Amino acid sequence: MQGFRIRFSLRYKLLLLLITLPLISLGLYLFIATDLFKADKKAYVFDSSATVSRSLATQMRMELQSVYANVRALVDAFDFNSSDFPETTKELFQKNIRMHALILYRRQDSGEYAKLAQLVKDQSSLQKFVADGRNLQLMREEAARQGAFVGEYADIPGVVRASFRLGEREEKNHIILVVLYQADDLMNAFEDARLYSSFVLTRSGLTAIGGTDIADADLAQLKNVLSSRATDRTADMKLSDGKNYLISYSFVGLGDLVVISKVDRAKAFKAVEVLIAKSFLFFVALIASTLLISLFASNQLTSTLRELFEATNKIATGKFDVRVKARSKDEVGGLAESFNFMAGEVSRLMRETAEKARMENELSTVKTVQETLFPAAQAEFGPLKICGHFEPASECGGDWWNYSRLGNKIFLWVGDATGHGAPAALITSAARSAAAVIESMPGISPASALTIMNRAINQTSKGQIMMTFFIAAIDLEERRFTYASASHDPPFLLRRKGALFSKKDLIPLNEVNGPRLGDKKDFSYAETTIAFEPGDLIFFYTDGIMDVEDPKGKKWGERNFIKSLIDSANVGPESQKKLDQLLQRVNDYRQGSQLIDDVTMVMCEFEKKVA
């Protein structure tokens, strides 16, 4: 701030300021502050309600997408020639603890729907669901009209009924799936009412989840609100119970399902009424005191600082946008300029702090969830030793690796989503969910697994975020290594020909390749098989390892990476020591500099004596 020069003494303004200014400013402040506080409280309630509806809509969308992916995997195995599911598919259905019933319908030339097949677990309440023709007709009609529908199933706690359309509505013989599945977390989220009451309707006003106590007149009002094409909206309306409600809604993004949250306006504004009453009493007392001081006080600071005092009261109540107008070039004017500068700085810092805290909290949640996706860093399967390392470039990353045993085969999964951060982390979660389903399929091959994961990633990201991937299946009995790749950096097979590994011992596994996951919806990946020998070492990685930079911004590069890999492979007999040596080389080069991409390394080693 520039120095403020006093041109007119405050002494001559004392009497006028002490009598008139506090009275006028306090009156205006009470009127404006009350109005502003009401508007701010309403905006806050709307924002909180909208956050609830958006959160529930996101949870429902992810739940439906997960269910659809699970059901679609079963339906893809359906044999239309025999009009029945394979026995392996039936076994998968029975083992799926969340799935209770699955019914397939096909639209006939007449427009009616004929049942193709059904999978139903042996429970009387489920038989009742299958026999309820009116309910199933509603599920078919809504799925045919909008693509998806969901509703409660009161006979079993925490169970939801859902229907999906396979193919476009105009297709002559499209398929309708009706499924009954366990969704305890979703139902608990709607039942945990607290201040906000949430339920799900369709755009046409049909009740889906909750809302069974809503009057027809209220449904008509809500239907008019839902006619808007906006994704999110808020409304202030009076319902048939005579109460005013603040309502927000958010579209799920599947079908025409809408999550609505409502809160009683009177309850939401209770704190406002109490604050206004206390503020009014406070200001009455303050004005009375000011009048007395104006009559008897002779101290110039008592009156000249009145306006600034009122402004600081506003700051104390959280109104950081308040400013004081400098009306003169004296001490009061200089103090006003200083106050405005201070208030502006405080307001800016508060906004930045709140935004930073919000983002850190969200990223911390995503990071916590993502940490559960990775396996233990070390594993041993007979002669096969596995050890891995993952380090994200930010709070959460887009790399993922895993291993699992399916029969006598050890499956290894390594993937790298586009970019890093929260969006990429969400895609890795989808990949982990797809892998969990694939692991329950007996006899699955790496190529088939990639094909299924490609469809899952494409459905999840709609082609916006893609993922390179490498899947390998290691047969411990026949010593065969079968793999398939989706544009992932090829792992290196190190097969020793001499006493130590050398560069000529590096064999890139790149005989088969395909497009990134999510790029093409329907693509069949190829696979190949090689034999492995005792003492072989296979190193998997993501491209972030070569993008590591030193403090000057110089990349580590492929040459340093290959040299360090060979040196590390010659360090002792233990795989973990070799991986630790390579990681130490990376950290020595970084010298604490920030990663620009996620880094994943996985090392598999076969003992020299294979059982």
Side-chain angles (χ1 to χ4, degrees):
M1 292 183 60
Q2 297 181 353
F4 189 86
R5 183 178 179 182
I6 299 175
R7 298 180 180 177
F8 191 67
S9 176
L10 183 62
R11 180 175 306 181
Y12 303 105
K13 304 175 183 178
L14 178 59
L15 184 60
L16 183 62
L17 290 175
L18 285 175
I19 297 176
T20 60
L21 184 58
L23 188 61
I24 296 174
S25 61
L26 287 174
L28 290 174
Y29 172 76
L30 180 61
F31 174 77
I32 296 174
T34 300
D35 222 29
L36 289 176
F37 189 82
K38 286 183 178 179
D40 184 72
K41 182 64 176 180
K42 183 176 181 180
Y44 172 79
V45 174
F46 269 142
D47 185 66
S48 300
S49 179
T51 299
V52 172
S53 62
R54 282 195 296 268
S55 176
L56 290 174
T58 300
Q59 183 176 354
M60 174 170 282
R61 180 170 63 254
M62 295 180 67
E63 184 80 23
L64 288 175
Q65 289 173 343
S66 174
V67 172
Y68 178 81
N70 281 276
V71 173
R72 185 61 186 268
L74 298 177
V75 174
D76 286 344
F78 182 75
D79 188 347
F80 286 89
N81 294 323
S82 63
S83 296
D84 198 6
F85 290 96
E87 291 301 319
T88 55
T89 302
K90 293 179 181 180
E91 292 177 5
L92 287 175
F93 172 81
Q94 292 296 330
K95 292 178 180 179
N96 193 324
I97 61 175
R98 295 189 63 194
M99 201 78 66
H100 294 287
L102 171 63
I103 310 176
L104 271 65
Y105 294 93
R106 170 179 280 171
R107 187 178 185 273
Q108 305 298 302
D109 294 339
S110 63
E112 299 294 325
Y113 287 89
K115 182 189 294 185
L116 294 178
Q118 68 181 31
L119 295 173
V120 182
K121 294 182 179 177
D122 188 17
Q123 296 182 22
S124 59
S125 57
L126 299 179
Q127 299 299 332
K128 178 181 177 182
F129 171 78
V130 175
D132 189 353
R134 183 176 180 183
N135 176 43
L136 294 175
Q137 181 181 358
L138 172 64
M139 301 294 291
R140 293 195 301 268
E141 290 175 351
E142 289 299 316
R145 185 170 63 88
Q146 294 295 336
F149 181 72
V150 66
E152 294 181 82
Y153 187 65
D155 290 343
I156 303 179
V159 171
V160 171
R161 51 192 172 94
S163 56
F164 305 93
R165 184 186 70 229
L166 298 185
E168 298 298 328
R169 181 178 180 182
E170 294 77 17
E171 291 182 12
K172 188 175 182 180
N173 300 114
H174 60 249
I175 302 296
I176 298 296
L177 311 177
V178 179
V179 60
L180 202 65
Y181 71 102
Q182 198 78 29
D184 295 307
D185 292 340
L186 180 62
M187 297 305 295
N188 290 336
F190 281 95
E191 292 171 359
D192 189 13
R194 297 183 183 176
L195 180 62
Y196 302 97
S197 176
S198 300
F199 48 92
V200 182
L201 302 178
T202 64
R203 193 190 295 273
S204 59
L206 183 64
T207 301
I209 294 179
T212 54
D213 57 343
I214 301 177
D216 292 339
D218 298 337
L219 283 175
Q221 283 197 74
L222 292 171
K223 183 178 178 181
N224 291 333
V225 173
L226 298 180
S227 62
S228 168
R229 303 306 300 180
T231 304
D232 300 286
R233 190 179 175 185
T234 55
D236 188 346
M237 64 175 60
K238 185 175 183 179
L239 300 183
S240 58
D241 60 1
K243 297 180 180 180
N244 289 313
Y245 290 89
L246 302 178
I247 295 176
S248 67
Y249 72 83
S250 180
F251 285 91
V252 175
L254 292 175
D256 63 347
L257 299 171
V258 186
V259 175
I260 299 176
S261 294
K262 66 184 180 77
V263 59
D264 188 343
R265 181 188 176 101
K267 292 181 179 179
F269 279 76
K270 188 67 177 178
V272 177
E273 296 174 0
V274 173
L275 184 60
I276 290 175
K278 290 184 177 180
S279 297
F280 179 79
L281 294 176
F282 172 77
F283 287 127
V284 168
L286 189 60
I287 290 173
S289 300
T290 301
L291 291 174
L292 291 176
I293 294 173
S294 299
L295 292 174
F296 301 106
S298 59
N299 190 325
Q300 62 179 6
L301 292 178
T302 303
S303 58
T304 56
L305 297 178
R306 173 60 59 187
E307 186 178 0
L308 288 172
F309 174 73
E310 299 301 333
T312 56
N313 279 339
K314 295 179 183 180
I315 292 288
T317 61
K319 302 294 183 179
F320 296 107
D321 58 343
V322 64
R323 296 294 183 271
V324 176
K325 184 176 180 180
R327 299 181 178 89
S328 62
K329 294 295 182 179
D330 54 18
E331 296 90 345
V332 174
L335 191 56
E337 291 289 347
S338 299
F339 173 83
N340 290 338
F341 177 80
M342 177 201 68
E345 287 298 299
V346 171
S347 179
R348 179 181 61 82
L349 291 173
M350 290 294 292
R351 288 195 303 269
E352 292 177 355
T353 301
E355 180 64 17
K356 182 178 179 182
R358 182 188 67 80
M359 294 184 66
E360 289 178 349
N361 182 61
E362 291 181 357
L363 290 175
S364 176
T365 301
V366 174
K367 180 180 180 181
T368 301
V369 173
Q370 190 184 35
E371 289 174 350
T372 64
L373 304 180
F374 291 88
Q378 300 183 50
E380 183 174 341
F381 301 94
L384 180 65
K385 306 294 190 298
I386 300 174
C387 55
H389 171 79
F390 164 69
E391 184 175 355
S394 55
E395 284 79 3
C396 46
D399 285 3
W400 177 68
W401 74 280
N402 192 28
Y403 54 80
S404 56
R405 182 163 194 159
L406 303 181
N408 197 45
K409 293 182 179 179
I410 307 303
F411 269 67
L412 283 164
W413 319 68
V414 181
D416 183 2
T418 305
H420 56 85
L426 293 176
I427 294 302
T428 63
S429 297
R432 181 63 183 93
S433 299
V437 175
I438 293 171
E439 289 172 350
S440 65
M441 299 179 181
I444 193 72
S445 67
S448 299
L450 265 188
T451 301
I452 295 173
M453 291 194 71
N454 174 60
R455 189 178 298 114
I457 297 301
N458 182 273
Q459 290 289 329
T460 301
S461 68
K462 305 301 182 185
Q464 299 300 310
I465 301 179
M466 288 171 279
M467 194 174 195
T468 66
F469 218 92
F470 191 97
I471 299 181
I474 303 172
D475 192 322
L476 297 178
E477 291 183 351
E478 299 185 12
R479 302 180 185 177
R480 294 188 304 172
F481 183 94
T482 303
Y483 68 89
S485 177
S487 294
H488 193 79
D489 290 344
F492 287 108
L493 169 63
L494 286 81
R495 180 163 290 167
R496 196 193 327 260
K497 296 183 178 61
L500 296 173
F501 287 111
S502 63
K503 188 175 182 179
K504 63 182 180 180
D505 297 330
L506 286 179
I507 304 173
L509 303 180
N510 56 3
E511 293 183 12
V512 293
N513 206 354
R516 293 178 294 176
L517 301 184
D519 188 13
K520 298 179 180 179
K521 180 179 180 182
D522 296 310
F523 185 85
S524 297
Y525 290 84
E527 64 182 37
T528 188
T529 301
I530 62 174
F532 67 83
E533 301 173 4
D536 280 356
L537 183 70
I538 299 179
F539 182 77
F540 303 82
Y541 62 98
T542 58
D543 57 4
I545 191 172
M546 285 180 281
D547 291 332
V548 171
E549 294 181 348
D550 64 11
K552 296 181 179 180
K554 183 179 179 181
K555 293 184 182 297
W556 200 34
E558 184 177 6
R559 182 177 180 181
N560 286 332
F561 162 61
I562 296 297
K563 183 179 184 304
S564 297
L565 175 59
I566 295 173
D567 291 344
S568 300
N570 291 317
V571 176
E574 296 182 14
S575 302
Q576 186 61 49
K577 288 185 177 180
K578 297 174 181 178
L579 186 65
D580 290 342
Q581 172 71 15
L582 180 58
L583 180 60
Q584 185 62 44
R585 288 286 188 90
V586 174
N587 291 332
D588 289 344
Y589 186 84
R590 285 175 58 192
Q591 300 180 39
S593 61
Q594 179 68 35
L595 290 175
I596 63 174
D597 196 5
D598 308 323
V599 172
T600 297
M601 298 181 289
V602 182
M603 188 171 289
C604 299
E605 187 171 15
F606 310 99
E607 289 183 342
K608 292 186 177 181
K609 294 182 179 180
V610 180

